[in-house]
Amino acid sequence: MGVKQRVAGGGVDAFRVCFRKAWNPRMAVKPKPESPVTAHRRRQAARGLRRVEVQVRNEDAELLKRIAAALNDAQEAPAARAYLLERFGPPPKDFKQFLTWGPSFEELDLERSRDTGREIDW
């Protein structure tokens, strides 16, 4: 059965024939190239480094940079890491451990006034 016969008959075959697209290698979807940032982070991860972003006060920014540099230096890293672990303890493994290891919630005042400070007319 030829194309004209199928198209003339209508139905699903006609739709498929009319809207069939020939494969064209120029129109094929090419994989998106890896961005330079992604490639850089992948190389850093292969070296065992990880990107960490924090927000600190202006006066603490330089101190934090020096701490990061000390942890990255092969000679200073063991002493800096030992001091930080002694001072702050090991990092928590999961959220439940963070809750037991982290801040004391008994000291926090979690009660708040429900008064919104304005009158509501119903």
Side-chain angles (χ1 to χ4, degrees):
M1 187 175 352
V3 173
K4 288 184 181 180
Q5 291 172 344
R6 280 194 284 174
V7 172
V12 176
D13 287 332
F15 180 79
R16 287 183 184 152
V17 171
C18 291
F19 291 99
R20 183 176 291 153
K21 294 181 180 177
W23 184 78
N24 185 346
R26 289 184 295 149
M27 295 178 67
V29 178
K30 296 179 182 174
K32 190 174 181 180
E34 187 176 52
S35 75
V37 173
T38 304
H40 173 73
R41 290 186 180 162
R42 184 178 41 77
R43 287 191 308 269
Q44 295 297 82
R47 292 178 46 204
L49 298 176
R50 179 193 238 174
R51 179 180 173 83
V52 177
E53 294 184 25
V54 295
Q55 292 182 351
V56 296
R57 297 181 187 270
N58 286 337
E59 58 267 12
D60 296 335
E62 193 59 39
L63 173 64
L64 201 58
K65 286 180 183 180
R66 291 192 346 237
I67 291 171
L71 288 172
N72 202 24
D73 184 14
Q75 293 177 348
E76 290 185 46
R81 191 172 292 112
Y83 174 76
L84 291 171
L85 286 173
E86 176 186 321
R87 172 65 179 92
F88 297 107
K93 299 285 187 228
D94 59 5
F95 186 69
K96 187 184 285 187
Q97 187 178 0
F98 168 74
L99 290 176
T100 58
W101 176 82
S104 173
F105 290 111
E106 289 82 30
E107 299 171 4
L108 295 177
D109 182 21
L110 299 177
E111 295 297 321
R112 65 183 183 128
S113 172
R114 297 288 180 189
D115 181 24
T116 59
R118 60 187 174 101
E119 295 289 327
I120 300 175
D121 295 327
W122 292 97

